[in-house]
Each structure stands twice: as structure tokens, then as C-alpha cells.
Amino acid sequence: MIQNQTSIQGPVQILPRCLDPDQWATVSTAVIVALSESLFGKPFDGGKRMDHGGPQQQQHPMEQQQQPFHPQHPAMMRLYEVQKEVASLGPQVCTFSGLQNDRDYKRLERELTRLLLEVDQVDTEGKPELQGARKRAAQEVEGLLRYLEENVTHPSRQVIEELSNEARRLVDERVVAPQRSGGVAEINDELVDALQELVLRLTQVKTEGRVPLRKARYRALTRLCAVQDVIEGRTQQQTLSLPLSGDTHEAVHAINQVMVKVSVARSQLVALLMGLSGRDSCAHLSRILTEMQVELDALDVSGNAAIRNYRKQVVEEINGLLKHLDLEGEGDDTRRYDLAQNNSIREIEAVRAHVSHLREGVLRHCVMGDLSFRPKAELQSLLTHLDQVDTAKNPCIREARRRAVVEVQAIITFLDLREALARRQPGPSEHPSHRAVWLVLGSLSDLQAQVLGFDGKRADKSYMILEELLTKQLLALDAVDPQGDEMTKMARKQAVKFAQNILNYLDMKTDEWEY
């Protein structure tokens, strides 16, 4: 939503918010209308009435009386021109996701600074109406400049860049540099796990709903996931019984040579995706891979099923690399980084709304002491539904799904513990330590009900109280001495895990993450 508030009577504060290019035209028109109404008594139409300095339409006599200045006044003409340039630069500013050293940033900053200087040089002839118009135009340009600078210096943008650099160093050290020096890339599970950790950390970066930050996070994640996919594909390919012996068929020798080229291309692709290749380009690598496909298609395998299968696997390997070469313009597609429009996210949100309704019902019946409301079957069906949501390998969608699953599981564990506490009938021979664990579990059940119903922030006093009370229960469990009783040891271990899960759930509810 746009936070601008335009008043005809007072100065206009123009502070652009996150917009996609389709929305910007609407917002720019609204801003221009507000500006022109306060100046001319007639909405500015983006210059449509202006034709080489002359109006195309006759104005109503009343409107002419309201206008202190004719639109052809030199100062007004110049402000019109500035306004049109601002409307052109607006979408670019509001979707720019780079850094201060990027060429586009410097261009946008230079253009906006030039416009600001031109507005400052407009001669107002000391007239208040012209001074007000110039002030409003300056405020709009300053708002764009401020928004541009805020996004490139935003802490989240710096975190995205730091994580991207960390991934770049890791890939360069383990994959790109060894192959450039004629060695062997260190592709193993450790590398795959390290990249997955970076993907998860990028997923957790908060964007505050800003389009440039969402776009920057999406681009970083897309490239890192592509590298992860290529590397994992290489790990799987290492387990294949390929290449075949050149003695099998004369076509095998040619396929083996293509396999060597594919290995080199894989390294080049990883370097390209991580910004480690200064000379190569996606278009150049795409041509090389396409030529390999043509070379493979031209081979005569003479009906040999084993060789056909070998060639098919190599072709699939090439296709797997080609699909990652379309990332250059992908980050500019609003539908990709604005996941609120994603069908899988909408499906997850629909499940979460259903879960919220069930949670309210469970808590309401608990307050009344009624344990008959147990929608466990319905909750289990929601888990099945979430498991079937297509994430398209998007880490943000996977994280959204994971969080929805945790919400469902929190209610199920709450219901299970309530039922276990209601069924519990301790005997006189029960071990004292075991009884102490159950007392803590009773307290944890009450605290979990409060956590399920909590809808605040970490700065709230109620959050701090809940966190402190849960920590005290962990300390109480730590103080329980099992005295060698195996059942107590197991019960205490499960209770500790349960308390930690409640704390983690409380933390997840208040971390203000968004996709």
C-alpha cells in the first residue's frame, strides 16, 4: 500500500513505497493529479493537453478563473517536463535491487540529481503559487532519491550481499578455483550442506515488504539454488557407470569427448551463476551447450540400446545445465519475487487460515475444560495437504510450508499432552522423580496454551514473561534427579524436547518473517 498523503492545502510529502512497474503508473498519476490540482485547479493529465506548447482542449470558464497561472507559463512548462521524467524514472527506482557501485544505481542517482538541480533553477518570480509547485516537485524527486538510497543501504540488503559473498567464496574455493588450476573440484556432501545452510539463512532475511529487497533476496536465492542443483547433479552423476569404454562402439568415443566438455561447461556455469566469470556470458555458454546437443544428435548409434541410453543421459545432463541459463531476466519478473501472487503460497495461506480457526476452537474449549473437541483427524489431513503443495524448489515457499506444518504440529502435540494428562492415574508406587517430570509437563501444557494464543511481538512484556516461564520449566527439568530410573530418564528427555519445541514455536511466531 502507498503511504503517501497528499493535501491540496499543505505541502505534499512524496515518499515512494515498494511498487511494481504496473502499479507505478497509477501512483505517479495520483501524485501528479494532487500536484496539479493544487496549482492549476485542473488535474494534470501527463502532458496530454500539451501539444508543442499549446493546449489541445478548451477549459471550462470556471476552471480558467481558478487558475492563477496558465499552463504555458515557462515555470509550469518546466515542472511539467520534470514531472514526466520523474514518472519515467519511478518504476526503475522502485524495483532497483542492486548496490551503490552498480552502473544502474549511479545512472538513476545522476538523473534524479540532475532533475533536482533543474527544479531548483526554475524561476518562480517570487510568486507563492510557483514556489509551492517547485517545492512539491523537489519533494517528489527527493523522495525517489531517498528511497533509492534507503534500499541499497538497508541492513537486510547488506545481509543479502554478505551471504552472497560467503557463498561466492565457498564455491570459488571448492569448485571454480581448483578446476581453473587443472585440479579436481571438491564436490561432496559437506559442500552441499554448506550451500543449503546459506540458502536457509537467505530465506530468513526480512524484507519488510519492500520490492527491491524481495527482488534482491529472490535473485540471490535463485542463483544459489541453481548452483546447488548443478552441484547435486554432479554428485549424482559421479555414481553413474559412465563414460562407457571407447572400444564398445565408435560413437562412444565421441560421446565421451562431449562428456568432458560438459564437465568443463558445468564449472563455467557455476562460475557464471556466482559472478565469478569475468569473460564468459550466459549466451556464449548456451551456444556451446547447444552445439554439443547438435553433435550428439548427429551420432549414429546403430540401434545399440546401451549407447542410446548413454547418449540420452548426456543430453539430459546438458538440458539440466541449459535450464539454469535463463536467470538473467528472471529476477525482473514481479510474479516470481512477489510470492503473494504465487498459487502455492495462496494454498499455504488458505491452510493457515483453517489452522487458525481450529486453534481458536481448541483454546476456547480448553478454557471451558471441555476436552471433547479434538480435531486431530482434520489437522492430520491438513498436514497431508501441505505435504502435497508444490514448492517448485523455491526455498521461500519451502520455508512458508515448513512454518505452516509447525503450526499444525503445535496444536496436535498440545492436544496429545492434554489427553495424556487427563488419562494419567499415578499410583502410590510411582517414582518421585517421575512424578516431578509430570508436574512440569502439566505446567508446560498450560504455558503452551498461552503460546498458542499469543499474538504479540518480542518487545511485548507478555512475550518476555512467557519466555522466562518456559526457561524456568527447563531449569526445573534439569534439576530432576532420575536416581537411575530409566523411565524417568526417558520422560525427562521427552519433556525437555517438548519445552524446547514450545520455545522454538514462540520464537517462530514472533520473528516477523515474510516471504
Side-chain angles (χ1 to χ4, degrees):
M1 295 294 295
I2 309 306
Q3 300 293 327
N4 303 356
Q5 289 187 352
T6 307
S7 172
I8 297 176
Q9 290 77 21
V12 180
Q13 182 182 3
I14 300 168
L15 183 60
R17 297 283 295 184
C18 307
L19 308 172
D20 59 44
D22 295 333
Q23 292 173 315
W24 174 259
T26 305
V27 177
S28 294
T29 302
V31 172
I32 294 169
V33 166
L35 172 60
S36 304
E37 282 181 340
S38 64
L39 296 176
F40 313 125
K42 182 163 185 172
F44 177 64
D45 61 359
K48 293 179 181 178
R49 297 196 306 275
M50 308 297 289
D51 184 14
H52 304 291
Q56 292 181 342
Q57 302 175 7
Q58 291 292 330
Q59 294 177 321
H60 193 278
M62 288 298 293
E63 292 172 340
Q64 291 179 352
Q65 293 175 10
Q66 294 173 358
Q67 291 183 179
F69 290 97
H70 196 277
Q72 288 185 340
H73 190 285
M76 295 302 179
M77 293 285 290
R78 185 62 208 125
L79 290 176
Y80 269 126
E81 294 301 321
V82 169
Q83 197 74 52
K84 286 191 287 184
E85 290 192 62
V86 169
S88 173
L89 292 172
Q92 301 173 53
V93 171
C94 286
T95 57
F96 176 75
S97 61
L99 299 168
Q100 283 180 312
N101 58 352
D102 289 356
R103 183 171 57 185
D104 283 342
Y105 176 86
K106 294 175 181 178
R107 176 183 61 80
L108 289 169
E109 185 181 42
R110 184 171 60 250
E111 290 293 316
L112 290 170
T113 303
R114 175 183 61 79
L115 288 175
L116 196 58
L117 291 174
E118 290 185 11
V119 169
D120 189 58
Q121 291 170 0
V122 171
D123 183 10
T124 63
E125 302 175 0
K127 295 182 171 58
E129 294 84 353
L130 292 176
Q131 289 173 345
R134 185 177 67 179
K135 180 179 179 181
R136 289 174 175 81
Q139 285 176 333
E140 183 166 3
V141 179
E142 287 171 351
L144 285 173
L145 269 170
R146 186 163 54 250
Y147 188 72
L148 180 66
E149 184 179 357
E150 282 177 356
N151 285 310
V152 297
T153 58
H154 194 282
S156 292
R157 185 65 186 87
Q158 304 305 314
V159 172
I160 292 170
E161 189 62 19
E162 288 169 7
L163 291 173
S164 297
N165 288 336
E166 188 176 340
R168 199 172 290 118
R169 286 192 298 270
L170 178 65
V171 172
D172 188 28
E173 179 183 317
R174 303 283 293 278
V175 180
V176 178
Q179 292 198 350
R180 279 179 179 167
S181 60
V184 179
E186 298 181 40
I187 299 176
N188 49 35
D189 291 340
E190 183 183 348
L191 175 60
V192 172
D193 291 343
L195 290 174
Q196 180 61 28
E197 174 65 23
L198 288 171
V199 167
L200 292 175
R201 288 166 64 186
L202 268 171
T203 303
Q204 300 295 332
V205 174
K206 297 178 178 63
T207 63
E208 299 178 0
R210 290 173 174 253
V211 166
L213 296 180
R214 285 208 307 262
K215 187 175 177 180
R217 184 182 67 177
Y218 174 78
R219 290 175 70 90
L221 278 169
T222 301
R223 279 153 178 72
L224 189 50
C225 287
V227 169
Q228 195 178 23
D229 192 40
V230 171
I231 289 176
E232 287 178 350
R234 173 60 178 167
T235 304
Q236 294 168 3
Q237 191 266 336
Q238 287 174 339
T239 65
L240 298 174
S241 57
L242 300 174
L244 297 178
S245 170
D247 299 331
T248 306
H249 193 279
E250 59 182 12
V252 174
H253 178 67
I255 300 175
N256 289 345
Q257 288 182 321
V258 173
M259 277 294 291
V260 173
K261 295 178 185 177
V262 170
S263 181
V264 174
R266 186 184 298 107
S267 178
Q268 291 174 335
L269 175 59
V270 169
L272 273 170
L273 292 171
M274 297 308 296
L276 297 169
S277 177
R279 294 176 299 174
D280 297 329
S281 68
C282 288
H284 175 68
L285 185 56
S286 180
R287 282 196 299 271
I288 292 175
L289 290 169
T290 303
E291 289 171 2
M292 292 182 197
Q293 286 183 322
V294 173
E295 184 178 346
L296 289 170
D297 288 340
L299 291 176
D300 178 17
V301 296
S302 301
N304 189 309
I307 300 176
R308 278 204 310 271
N309 185 53
Y310 178 28
R311 183 176 65 175
K312 179 182 176 183
Q313 291 183 31
V314 178
V315 169
E316 289 175 351
E317 179 80 8
I318 294 173
N319 288 333
L321 299 180
L322 280 169
K323 73 178 182 181
H324 295 304
L325 287 172
D326 299 327
L327 297 177
E328 288 303 306
E330 187 171 307
D332 296 324
D333 187 350
T334 308
R335 291 169 297 178
R336 293 187 181 273
Y337 59 79
D338 185 7
L339 291 180
Q341 308 303 318
N342 183 278
N343 288 333
S344 295
I345 287 292
R346 288 175 173 176
E347 197 173 348
I348 292 170
E349 287 300 319
V351 171
R352 292 187 66 232
H354 193 172
V355 171
S356 178
H357 175 72
L358 292 176
R359 180 171 58 241
E360 290 174 2
V362 167
L363 293 177
R364 187 169 57 251
H365 282 80
C366 267
V367 169
M368 298 184 296
D370 180 11
L371 298 179
S372 61
F373 184 67
R374 291 181 48 78
K376 284 188 65 175
E378 197 170 353
L379 290 166
Q380 290 290 352
S381 69
L382 291 176
L383 284 177
T384 303
H385 188 170
L386 287 170
D387 188 54
Q388 295 171 350
V389 171
D390 180 18
T391 64
K393 293 187 177 180
N394 187 312
C396 289
I397 300 178
R398 283 204 301 260
E399 176 65 11
R401 185 177 67 177
R402 184 193 70 82
R403 287 168 172 263
V405 168
V406 170
E407 289 182 26
V408 177
Q409 289 174 337
I411 302 175
I412 291 175
T413 56
F414 174 73
L415 291 171
D416 287 343
L417 180 57
R418 283 278 175 170
E419 184 178 355
L421 288 168
R423 288 200 314 260
R424 173 172 155 75
Q425 295 179 349
S429 60
E430 184 180 36
H431 197 284
S433 299
H434 195 259
R435 186 182 302 112
V437 172
W438 273 102
L439 287 173
V440 174
L441 283 171
S443 300
L444 285 174
S445 178
D446 294 336
L447 288 173
Q448 189 181 19
Q450 297 179 50
V451 170
L452 286 171
F454 182 76
D455 191 26
K457 298 183 178 180
R458 291 184 184 179
D460 295 350
K461 185 177 179 180
S462 53
Y463 171 87
M464 299 177 189
I465 292 174
L466 277 172
E467 189 177 42
E468 182 181 354
L469 290 173
L470 286 167
T471 304
K472 284 182 177 179
Q473 298 307 315
L474 279 170
L475 293 173
L477 287 170
D478 189 57
V480 173
D481 182 8
Q483 298 177 0
D485 186 68
E486 291 299 323
M487 185 177 292
T488 302
K489 287 181 181 179
M490 185 179 298
R492 187 180 68 169
K493 182 178 179 180
Q494 291 177 342
V496 168
K497 185 178 180 181
F498 184 73
Q500 289 173 337
N501 286 341
I502 299 174
L503 272 169
N504 291 338
Y505 177 65
L506 178 63
D507 185 66
M508 187 194 79
K509 287 189 73 172
T510 56
D511 66 3
E512 300 179 1
W513 181 82
E514 83 287 331
Y515 40 77

